[in-house]
Amino acid sequence: MDVNISQLIAALPDDGGPSSTQTLTQERVHEIFADLAYRPMPLGSLHRLWTASELSAQIALAYLAYGIRQWFCDAETAEKALLETNLRVALKVFHRLGYLRGAFAKIGQTAAHMPNVLPDQVAETLDTLHSSAPPMHYLLIREVVRNEFGKDPEELFATFEREAFAAASIGQVHRATLKTGERVAVKIQYPGIARTIDADFRNIQALMLPMRLGKEWESVKAQAGEIHRMLKQEVDYRQEAESLRNAAALFQPEDGIVVPRVYPEVSGLRVLTTELLQGTHLPEYLAANPTQASRNEFGTKIDRAWWRLYLAFIGYSDPNPGNYIFLSDGRLGLLDFGCVRHFTEEERELVRLADKAAFEDPSLMPQLVQKACGIHPADPEFGAYLRIMQDTCDWMLAPHSQPGPFDFGNPSHFDKGAELFSGVVRSRHVRAHPMYVYHNRAVYGLLALLYRLGAQVDVAEVLRQERARNPA
Amino acid sequence: MRITANAKVATRQRILEVASKLFLDAGWHPTTTRGIAAEAGIATGTLFNYFATKEAVAAALIETALERAYEGLPNQPGYGDSVEGDLFSLVWSGFRSLAGFRTFLGAAAETIFSPLARQSPDSPGDAIRTTHLQWVQSIIAEHGVPKPLPAVTLQLYWTLYLGVLAYWAADESPGQEDTLALLDQALKLFVSSLGAAR
Ligand SMILES: Nc1ncnc2c1ncn2[C@@H]1O[C@H](COP(=O)(O)OP(=O)(O)O)[C@@H](O)[C@H]1O
């Protein structure tokens, strides 16, 4: 055996704090941000970085302790004493969650590269634990519900399905019936995730330190801060409930757009109960070969919902198509309000300026670049940023500047957008107001959705109507 | 003088009550067998007729609490659905039952379950370990993995269990939700390791 005990002990953390600081390069951080802009939150590598550092690392430790014991099971007394010392170390370390994060992330990762220490199977399992919140069996669900309300699901609901019917980004969703008879969807969060976010962001900040001399530092720091803020909001289901209520108030029955109602008496920090919307998601909707007219209607509703929220200064920021539900009566359901941005006064100014520059007065473009990207006109890169802004606005306006419906199913418009965006990331012109971290991915997400739907939408007309309802 | 069986049971019970109070109030490390005996109003020598060490006293407390939990297991809604869920119930209802001892359990577990202690014939942690692992084996067997399990598999389980127990004992998160997550993941890992045994 060529791994010896002192190497193993050396692999256990000492009190020096996280030591993986240097392993993440500036390039990597950029990649991560770019990645984040495209994927649903839980699978982005940044997210993986912080949920992974937590628990699987502790399990890796348990394996180390286990490994240590195995090597010594036939050993002499002196060695047994050493074994006991190591077991003590292992148990002690388990006590100290705060400490586990940074240093253990490293162990978790390196463990996977120490075939002499861990059997393949274990390394593989460690890997799979990294990717997303694992499904919860009913007995765990019950504990989470009990922690929240002090009561079991069987006491709170008339019926409660033990099997989840859908996965959520950091939890899962169960069908249930209220005591008053309504059918509901109960979203339950995997325990412990929310509380890791702050500590993990401290680690992320440490990881980013090597970048601090670069010219993008301030902007990157602000963007990281924005992601931190939004994640904290996303894990707080009470805030999601509030956003759902605000959004629901914006839609009338004649819009054919529904935001599910919240049931506050069975909702809280980690559990959210909403009216069950019965319908299909995009893939099943498309699989049933809907007519062009139906696609167009849904596409128009999706576009209308977007503008209705945007003009109320609510950014519907999660581009995941799973957030839209196609009801059989033709209504559109809007589901996920965890990742919603309520624009600040400063951001509202920016929204107004961007609208004006894009739709009315191109001469405002330089001013917009200065405000939106934080670039001074004297900056040598100002010209490059101005060009990007101009191209982006032209592209976004294209569907608006033709009479009648625009065919979003035409791939050329979609491809052009993808090209623009990846160009921005490649050329590292990433300085932007933090609100754009989410706004950009939402806009591209919306477009991707309309593209897959193959919808023809008269976006200019929708916008005209929405503006008329909302003169502000 | 003959000591009746009833008196014996009463003394034992009294020692356990006094000891649990001392472990909780004074802490694990400062509490000694002599201190327990004094508080219980018996000679230290008498205490040794009942328990050889303070570890043995604590182990008896733990054992009783766990047995109470195991009895209630089959009544839990959802019990029987899956290996993972059943093992989860086994561990978590045990923890619930031990909740009153949480403050000293972490420190106590280190010596009670020390692998060195296991070398001696009457190790205090042995009975707890044996009973718990019997439950684990029968749960796994219920779900179709043939008995007996390889020793290594049980060893793996026990290592994880001790880690989670120690973690739980010091867990300050609301409702010990961090332990819930740790336990869930530890069990996922364990159950996936059964794949090879199946
Ligand atoms: N009120 C509801 N009615 C019907 N399905 C729902 C409802 N709420 C959630 N779901 C289902 O659960 C999935 C995840 O819910 P969502 O709120 O998007 O979770 P998260 O944003 O946390 O990932 C949805 O895609 C949908 O399939």
Coordinates of all heavy atoms in Angstrom, one line a residue, chain A residues 22 27 88 92 117 119 137 148 150 167 212 243 257 266 288 306 330 335 340 348 352 362 366-368 399:
Chain A
Q22 N -6.4 29.3 -4.0 CA -5.6 29.7 -5.2 C -6.0 28.8 -6.4 O -5.6 29.1 -7.5 CB -4.1 29.5 -5.0 CG -3.6 30.3 -3.8 CD -3.9 31.7 -3.9 OE1 -3.9 32.3 -5.0 NE2 -4.3 32.3 -2.8
E27 N -10.1 33.2 -15.1 CA -10.8 32.6 -16.2 C -12.0 31.7 -15.8 O -13.1 31.8 -16.3 CB -9.9 31.6 -17.0 CG -8.5 32.2 -17.4 CD -8.5 32.4 -18.9 OE1 -8.8 31.4 -19.6 OE2 -8.2 33.5 -19.3
R88 N -10.6 9.9 17.0 CA -11.0 11.1 17.8 C -10.9 12.4 16.9 O -11.8 13.2 17.0 CB -10.0 11.3 18.9 CG -10.4 10.6 20.2 CD -9.3 10.7 21.2 NE -9.4 9.7 22.2 CZ -10.3 9.9 23.3 NH1 -10.9 11.0 23.4 NH2 -10.4 9.0 24.2
K92 N -14.0 14.7 16.2 CA -14.0 16.2 16.6 C -14.3 17.0 15.4 O -15.0 18.0 15.5 CB -12.6 16.5 17.2 CG -12.4 16.0 18.6 CD -11.6 17.1 19.4 CE -11.5 16.6 20.8 NZ -10.4 15.6 21.0
V117 N -7.3 5.3 -1.6 CA -8.0 5.6 -0.4 C -9.5 5.2 -0.6 O -10.0 4.6 0.3 CB -7.9 7.1 0.0 CG1 -8.7 7.3 1.2 CG2 -6.4 7.4 0.2
P119 N -12.6 3.4 -2.8 CA -12.9 2.5 -3.9 C -13.7 3.4 -5.0 O -14.3 4.4 -4.6 CB -13.9 1.5 -3.3 CG -14.3 2.1 -2.0 CD -13.2 3.0 -1.6
H137 N -37.1 11.2 0.7 CA -38.2 10.2 1.0 C -39.1 10.9 2.0 O -38.8 11.9 2.6 CB -37.6 8.9 1.5 CG -36.6 9.1 2.6 ND1 -36.9 9.5 3.9 CD2 -35.2 8.9 2.6 CE1 -35.8 9.5 4.6 NE2 -34.8 9.3 3.8
E148 N -41.1 23.1 10.4 CA -41.7 24.3 9.9 C -43.0 24.6 10.7 O -43.2 25.8 11.2 CB -42.1 24.2 8.4 CG -42.5 25.5 7.8 CD -41.4 26.5 7.5 OE1 -40.3 26.0 7.1 OE2 -41.6 27.7 7.8
G150 N -44.4 22.4 13.3 CA -44.7 21.7 14.5 C -45.7 20.6 14.4 O -46.2 20.0 15.3
A167 N -39.8 17.9 -9.4 CA -38.6 18.3 -8.7 C -38.5 19.8 -8.7 O -38.9 20.4 -9.7 CB -37.4 17.7 -9.4
R212 N -8.5 40.6 -7.7 CA -8.9 41.9 -7.3 C -8.1 43.0 -7.9 O -8.5 44.2 -7.8 CB -8.8 42.0 -5.7 CG -7.4 42.0 -5.2 CD -7.5 41.9 -3.7 NE -6.2 41.8 -3.1 CZ -5.5 40.7 -3.1 NH1 -5.9 39.6 -3.7 NH2 -4.3 40.6 -2.5
S243 N -43.9 37.6 -3.6 CA -43.8 37.9 -5.0 C -45.0 37.3 -5.8 O -45.5 37.9 -6.7 CB -42.5 37.3 -5.6 OG -41.4 37.9 -5.0
I257 N -54.0 34.6 -18.1 CA -52.7 34.3 -17.5 C -52.9 34.1 -16.0 O -53.5 35.0 -15.4 CB -51.7 35.4 -17.8 CG1 -51.5 35.6 -19.3 CG2 -50.4 35.2 -17.0 CD1 -50.7 36.9 -19.6
V266 N -50.4 27.3 5.4 CA -49.6 26.1 5.3 C -48.3 26.4 4.4 O -47.8 25.6 3.7 CB -50.3 24.9 4.6 CG1 -50.9 24.0 5.7 CG2 -51.4 25.3 3.7
A288 N -47.8 17.0 -28.2 CA -49.2 16.8 -28.6 C -49.5 17.5 -29.9 O -50.6 17.6 -30.3 CB -50.1 17.2 -27.5
W306 N -44.5 38.8 -19.6 CA -43.1 39.4 -19.4 C -43.2 40.9 -19.3 O -42.7 41.5 -18.4 CB -42.2 38.9 -20.6 CG -41.0 39.8 -20.7 CD1 -40.9 40.9 -21.5 CD2 -39.8 39.6 -20.0 NE1 -39.6 41.5 -21.3 CE2 -38.9 40.7 -20.4 CE3 -39.3 38.7 -19.1 CZ2 -37.6 40.8 -20.0 CZ3 -38.0 38.8 -18.7 CH2 -37.2 39.9 -19.1
G330 N -56.4 26.7 -22.3 CA -55.8 27.7 -23.0 C -55.1 28.8 -22.2 O -54.4 29.6 -22.7
L335 N -45.3 29.9 -12.9 CA -45.1 29.2 -11.6 C -44.1 29.8 -10.7 O -44.4 30.1 -9.6 CB -44.7 27.8 -11.9 CG -45.8 26.9 -12.3 CD1 -45.3 25.5 -12.5 CD2 -46.9 26.9 -11.3
V340 N -37.2 36.4 -8.6 CA -37.8 37.6 -9.1 C -37.1 38.8 -8.6 O -36.8 38.9 -7.4 CB -39.3 37.6 -8.7 CG1 -39.9 39.0 -8.8 CG2 -40.1 36.6 -9.6
R348 N -34.8 51.3 -11.8 CA -36.0 51.8 -12.6 C -35.5 52.9 -13.5 O -36.0 52.9 -14.7 CB -37.1 52.3 -11.7 CG -37.7 51.2 -10.9 CD -38.7 51.7 -9.9 NE -39.2 50.6 -9.1 CZ -40.4 50.4 -8.6 NH1 -41.3 51.4 -8.8 NH2 -40.8 49.4 -8.0
R352 N -35.8 52.8 -17.6 CA -36.5 53.8 -18.4 C -35.5 54.3 -19.4 O -35.9 54.5 -20.6 CB -36.9 55.0 -17.5 CG -38.1 54.6 -16.6 CD -38.6 55.9 -15.9 NE -39.5 55.5 -14.8 CZ -39.2 55.5 -13.5 NH1 -38.0 56.0 -13.1 NH2 -40.0 55.1 -12.6
P362 N -31.8 57.1 -30.2 CA -30.5 56.4 -30.2 C -29.3 57.3 -29.7 O -28.3 56.7 -29.3 CB -30.3 56.1 -31.7 CG -31.6 56.3 -32.4 CD -32.4 57.2 -31.5
P366 N -24.7 56.3 -25.7 CA -23.5 56.5 -24.9 C -23.8 56.6 -23.4 O -23.1 56.0 -22.5 CB -22.9 57.7 -25.4 CG -23.4 57.9 -26.8 CD -24.8 57.4 -26.8
Q367 N -24.9 57.4 -23.1 CA -25.2 57.6 -21.7 C -25.7 56.2 -21.1 O -25.3 55.9 -19.9 CB -26.4 58.6 -21.7 CG -26.6 59.2 -20.3 CD -27.9 60.0 -20.3 OE1 -28.3 60.5 -21.3 NE2 -28.5 60.1 -19.1
L368 N -26.4 55.4 -21.9 CA -26.8 54.1 -21.4 C -25.6 53.2 -21.1 O -25.5 52.6 -20.1 CB -27.7 53.5 -22.4 CG -28.2 52.1 -22.1 CD1 -29.0 52.1 -20.8 CD2 -29.0 51.5 -23.2
P399 N -37.7 42.2 -33.8 CA -39.1 41.7 -33.8 C -40.1 42.8 -33.6 O -41.2 42.6 -34.1 CB -39.1 40.7 -32.6 CG -37.7 40.4 -32.2 CD -36.9 41.6 -32.6

